[in-house]
Amino acid sequence: MTELIDLSEVAGQAGKFDCFLEQVRDRFGFDHVAYLGSNPVAGTMHGYVTYPEEWKRHYTHQAYHLIDPTLRIAQRSIAPIDWSRIEQSDNFRLVFCAAREFGISDRGVTIPVRGPFGDTGMLSVTRDTDEHEWRAMIAHSIGDLQSIAVHMHDAVMNSDAFSNVLRRTPLSSREIEILQWTAAGKTQQDIADILNISHRTVEVHLRSAREKLFSLTTAQAIARAIAQHLIYPI
Amino acid sequence: MTELIDLSEVAGQAGKFDCFLEQVRDRFGFDHVAYLGSNPVAGTMHGYVTYPEEWKRHYTHQAYHLIDPTLRIAQRSIAPIDWSRIEQSDNFRLVFCAAREFGISDRGVTIPVRGPFGDTGMLSVTRDTDEHEWRAMIAHSIGDLQSIAVHMHDAVMNSDAFSNVLRRTPLSSREIEILQWTAAGKTQQDIADILNISHRTVEVHLRSAREKLFSLTTAQAIARAIAQHLIYPI
DNA sequence: TCGCGAGTACGGGATTTCCCGAATATCGGC
DNA sequence: GCCGATATTCGGGAAATCCCGTACTCGCGA
């Protein structure tokens, strides 16, 4: 499965993300703010949290990110998830009871956000308070939190992990045209008929596209062309 | 290619979405509000707009949704896109000059939102005003608009029109495994060697995956599997 | 318990794709 | 003008894919 990486311990500009989360926490008056982003291409997860060091270590050591119901549900949801609406499963009790021992409340919200590559981010905020004040806090800040989640995910995904994927290969218009038709399910002969050329020529353009995309097969070229937004999968 | 469907002309509860957009328009003081959602499983796009009927017809008839740079860029972005930051391409001029003739300003923002199945929604707002007032409007409402975009997309995707269609295509684990290797550039014989089975069997799984994804070729199946986040481009 | 559909597995042969070759056209730079 | 790089065009033959068939297993509902 995926491996949990704490980017704050990695070299570079990572510290600014932790700092950003602390600013969000202080500005909106939460106890803690946490971001967890997953990169399915690399098979990794990147986390930044304001949680105490001990809980961070315990969470990582117990691999809670594999069973945490908060993450599981947010991964399948479009809208923000209030933790009070999560089903009281065994995993729920396991994680939240452990959290309580580290002084972390079970009152919180997790906001999912997604990018175009199946990359997912989750921004969680929590505060130990009563129902009434919690509702007021969330109602007041949910819009900003939504924007913050998007901004955070955008920044993390553009920081390093995805920059190589976003590099675009210069294909000729004919190559893109033929790749697009191929992704649409047309055979080389079909495309030849559509463009009124020989199917041999279609194959040459596909070969050229394969070479430029460093692909061994046309299927791989299609995958890479989609990843680079050179063509559209539909 | 994808076909643009105006759900407000379809039977059912569709009117409530149009009504909702009108409320958003009036509450925040925009000229127009538009939502466009794409369903990669069915390969369709569904739109609700407050634009005048003539522009709607013209846009649909000219199939502008296939070239509209607003949609193209929002489709690959995580964060909201201000139209002023879009590159002045031929398609840009084509669409926006046409829009101006229907009294629609080129000052606007498009907010992308995504679901877990590769479903994408875009909420656009526009208003004919000066730079200063526009910045103030957006700064004031961007958080709420973000929440509204999520809510709108969630509602549309969970409505009757989508709930039966938008379901993760049930591929077997073997099929996904083999699709993933195929997207990684392996031939059927390569995959057979990796999995210690006959290349004939690999082909059967690929054929089965093609049928489930309604694809005529393996390349098309790869494209659709990526669009639905069933596999990842490497 | 008894099909029945789905998943997994394999082979023969037709179809398609892929690798080799080659030619012409276009276009920017010396 | 000339020259090299790239785009576009095409064909022969090898290689891979795709369509047809079969067979076994397993879970699930009649």
Side-chain angles (χ1 to χ4, degrees), chain A residues 2-187:
Chain A
T2 59
E3 190 187 347
L4 191 59
I5 294 176
D6 181 9
L7 277 192
S8 64
E9 293 179 0
V10 180
Q13 55 185 353
K16 72 174 183 184
F17 289 128
D18 287 316
C19 181
F20 177 68
L21 290 187
E22 285 168 16
Q23 287 175 18
V24 172
R25 176 193 61 189
D26 297 339
R27 179 170 156 203
F28 293 95
F30 293 109
D31 289 345
H32 295 291
V33 179
Y35 168 84
L36 192 66
S38 87
N39 177 346
V41 176
T44 54
M45 303 182 77
H46 304 253
Y48 304 94
V49 300
T50 65
Y51 291 131
E53 198 60 43
E54 304 81 45
W55 171 239
K56 232 163 83 176
R57 255 201 306 278
H58 189 255
Y59 193 98
T60 307
H61 186 258
Q62 298 289 324
Y64 279 159
H65 66 290
L66 294 177
I67 62 165
D68 192 336
T70 310
L71 308 183
R72 282 297 160 94
I73 291 184
Q75 212 141 35
R76 278 182 283 142
S77 171
I78 298 173
I81 302 289
D82 195 294
W83 295 354
S84 64
R85 277 194 268 172
I86 297 177
E87 186 199 356
Q88 301 274 331
S89 65
D90 288 345
N91 285 337
F92 182 89
R93 276 181 289 274
L94 182 64
V95 174
F96 276 92
C97 284
R100 193 171 299 120
E101 291 175 17
F102 288 86
I104 293 161
S105 165
D106 62 353
R107 206 178 289 283
V109 160
T110 295
I111 300 168
V113 51
R114 294 183 182 79
F117 298 103
D119 48 313
T120 307
M122 283 166 275
L123 185 75
S124 300
V125 297
T126 177
R127 176 170 165 83
D128 191 7
T129 181
D130 63 79
E131 176 82 10
H132 184 263
E133 194 198 349
W134 174 249
R135 283 180 182 277
M137 280 185 84
I138 290 304
H140 171 258
S141 61
I142 187 67
D144 290 325
L145 290 177
Q146 193 87 49
S147 289
I148 288 165
V150 168
H151 177 260
M152 181 78 184
H153 186 65
D154 199 17
V156 170
M157 288 298 148
N158 284 322
S159 62
D160 49 4
F162 273 89
S163 54
N164 55 340
V165 178
L166 296 175
R167 186 185 59 242
R168 299 183 68 178
T169 305
L171 296 181
S172 75
S173 60
R174 205 61 156 171
E175 285 157 357
I176 290 179
E177 189 177 18
I178 289 177
L179 271 183
Q180 184 69 68
W181 279 118
T182 302
K186 303 296 182 187
T187 67

